[in-house]
Amino acid sequence: MLSNNIEYRGAVWGFWGTFLWGVVILIAFLLGQILPLIFYMVFENMDLTMESFNALSALAMTDSFLLFLSAMGGMFLAVPVAFGVAKLKQGSILKDYFSLYSFKLKTLGFWILVFIVLQVATTFLIEALGAKEIPNFMLNLEYPSLMAKILLVMAVVVAAPIVEEVVFRGFLLKGFSQTFMGVHGAVFLTSALWAVIHMQYEVAYLIAIFVIGLVFAYARVLTNSLYIPMMMHSLMNALSILGLFYEKGVFG
């Protein structure tokens, strides 16, 4: 039976500390996404106006190169900020705060099987709710060259899982679980928050994302390794990209 607390050897931010620092990390993530686009505007001699930036931001939703810049910028700024914030707490142990522990191959194998079952279940859920197999915004992505495809994969399969797992199943889950919320409350809240940041998806997908977040969070809790949900997340995104490529005839 899963206890309603996570054993932790170091100091951790309380509820409001976790919440407020979480906002700071989110701001860092957004800033990390914005700055590369501004640098791109300067490099391309574009007018540095809000109108130009809004147009470029909209283009970044469909252009794989701009999406890559934005995703990498968010990762490279938000992850160090998350680690730094955790380290600011006197008596914290960074490795334990984020559950940066190794795992056994049989443990990974078990959770990969769990993921496969989850993937099938959420696919049926999405279809039952009447949503398309592939979200509209993904179908609008453009990747005209091999390099564009590689950059898209790096953004979606590498950058997104790293930053999202560090923030949600790392910093936020550990912090909230040490408060009155306990493990189960923290799992529910972080999964809901994770779904909220994916508002570009349809409602059916948001429900599925919430369910997936619950499984990823419990995987982190039960294995005491952030690497397990991180790899599950990466695999999920890789399958989504492969499905997109297949749908758009990339494989011929």
Side-chain angles (χ1 to χ4, degrees):
M1 182 177 179
L2 180 63
S3 171
N4 198 38
N5 61 74
I6 300 177
E7 184 179 352
Y8 182 55
R9 295 178 288 126
V12 63
W13 291 105
F15 178 85
W16 288 110
T18 299
F19 177 81
L20 294 174
W21 280 119
V23 172
V24 171
I25 295 169
L26 177 60
I27 292 173
F29 175 65
L30 295 175
L31 188 61
Q33 291 183 308
I34 290 171
L35 287 177
L37 298 182
I38 294 176
F39 292 147
Y40 178 84
M41 293 175 69
V42 173
F43 182 79
E44 293 292 329
N45 294 317
M46 298 173 63
D47 293 332
L48 294 177
T49 63
M50 184 58 69
E51 183 179 359
S52 296
F53 177 77
N54 289 338
L56 189 66
S57 297
L59 184 60
M61 295 296 293
T62 58
D63 186 283
S64 58
F65 176 67
L66 295 177
L67 178 63
F68 167 80
L69 291 180
S70 185
M72 287 297 172
M75 180 186 70
F76 282 121
L77 188 56
V79 171
V81 169
F83 286 157
V85 164
K87 197 64 179 176
L88 278 176
K89 183 64 177 179
Q90 188 175 7
S92 66
I93 303 171
L94 200 61
K95 187 174 183 178
D96 210 34
Y97 210 120
F98 290 89
S99 297
L100 303 176
Y101 293 108
S102 60
F103 51 86
K104 295 180 179 179
L105 286 178
K106 65 178 183 180
T107 301
L108 175 61
F110 170 79
W111 283 102
I112 292 300
L113 288 176
V114 171
F115 166 77
I116 293 172
V117 174
L118 174 67
Q119 187 76 2
V120 173
T122 53
T123 297
F124 280 120
L125 174 62
I126 289 168
E127 290 180 355
L129 293 173
K132 294 182 179 179
E133 186 175 349
I134 298 177
N136 288 328
F137 86 94
M138 289 185 65
L139 291 172
N140 292 331
L141 284 170
E142 298 177 0
Y143 32 86
S145 65
L146 175 60
M147 181 56 67
K149 294 178 181 64
I150 293 173
L151 294 179
L152 177 61
V153 170
M154 290 181 65
V156 176
V157 180
V158 179
I162 290 176
V163 66
E164 291 177 19
E165 294 309 313
V166 165
V167 174
F168 289 93
R169 260 69 70 175
F171 180 78
L172 294 179
L173 181 59
K174 181 62 66 103
F176 287 135
S177 68
Q178 299 300 302
T179 69
F180 64 91
M181 299 185 68
V183 170
H184 305 298
V187 165
F188 183 91
L189 178 59
T190 55
S191 299
L193 292 174
W194 187 52
V196 167
I197 70 164
H198 291 87
M199 294 303 293
Q200 70 270 32
Y201 288 88
E202 301 169 52
V203 174
Y205 278 94
L206 292 178
I207 295 172
I209 288 170
F210 171 72
V211 173
I212 292 169
L214 294 176
V215 176
F216 284 3
Y218 279 119
R220 213 289 290 143
V221 171
L222 292 170
T223 65
N224 195 32
S225 176
L226 186 65
Y227 300 123
I228 295 292
M230 195 176 287
M231 285 187 284
M232 294 170 71
H233 192 160
S234 182
L235 178 59
M236 177 183 70
N237 287 6
L239 291 176
S240 295
I241 289 296
L242 287 175
L244 175 64
F245 285 172
Y246 177 80
E247 179 73 17
K248 300 192 75 172
V250 171
F251 302 119

